[in-house]
Amino acid sequence: LDQPSRGIVLERLVIRDVGPTGNRDGIKLSGLEDFKVIGCVVERWGDAGSGIDMVGCRRGEISGCTFRHENDKGDNGVQAKGGSRDITVRDCRLEHAGQRAINIGGSTGLAFFRPRPEGFEARDVTVQNCTIIGSSAAIAFVGIDGAIARNNTIYRPARYAFRILQE
């Protein structure tokens, strides 16, 4: 837990039809630092998973990616939780990307925080210049300590443009 992987770049990947059902993520990142996910397309992940699920990730950037799923299937397009901090999601397109297109924070079990619980699910997360179409909620802020959502286009969310929760 105290020696994370660093310097990973995932670029121009196409990931489709991950798993039949359940918590199946397109891309799972745990305890990763100084990383980039650039220009990827993630479509149809599991009905209880995320396009990209980050747990305890630090200093990361997700840019120019596209996420496609269904409004009532899949938990999230992009999720940063479990002690994640200093994450930027920019210039992405999320089309019906699960119940919460972007979930900043979450409800992580204490044993899964990386490197250890610090009193927040996510800290200092920025979502900018993204287009979010559909989903039950475009952006959810859940147990966070500092986040910025700016210059995003949100079109026809099923229930909420934003949700601010303490789970």
Side-chain angles (χ1 to χ4, degrees), residues 96-163:
H96 310 284
Q99 295 178 35
R100 299 174 182 174
I102 298 177
N103 197 42
I104 304 170
S107 52
T108 308
L110 292 177
F112 300 106
F113 273 77
R114 297 184 186 276
R116 66 194 163 284
E118 296 182 64
F120 58 85
E121 281 281 346
R123 173 181 276 172
D124 300 327
V125 176
T126 300
V127 179
Q128 66 185 20
N129 303 326
C130 293
T131 299
I132 304 168
I133 300 168
S135 294
S136 181
I139 303 174
F141 304 89
V142 186
I144 58 131
D145 184 2
I148 297 171
R150 63 177 165 221
N151 303 323
N152 298 293
T153 299
I154 298 171
Y155 181 71
R156 298 191 70 154
R159 288 192 74 184
Y160 311 99
F162 301 100
R163 291 190 79 188

Side-chain angles (χ1 to χ4, degrees), residues 55-73:
V55 178
C57 292
R58 311 278 172 121
R59 297 180 306 278
E61 176 184 317
I62 298 169
S63 62
C65 294
T66 300
F67 302 89
R68 292 185 188 102
H69 205 38
E70 297 178 37
N71 284 349
D72 57 351
K73 279 192 170 180

Side-chain angles (χ1 to χ4, degrees), residues 5-9 32-36 57-61:
S5 296
R6 291 184 173 85
I8 303 294
V9 176
L32 189 58
E33 293 186 353
D34 304 311
F35 66 94
K36 293 183 181 186
C57 292
R58 311 278 172 121
R59 297 180 306 278
E61 176 184 317

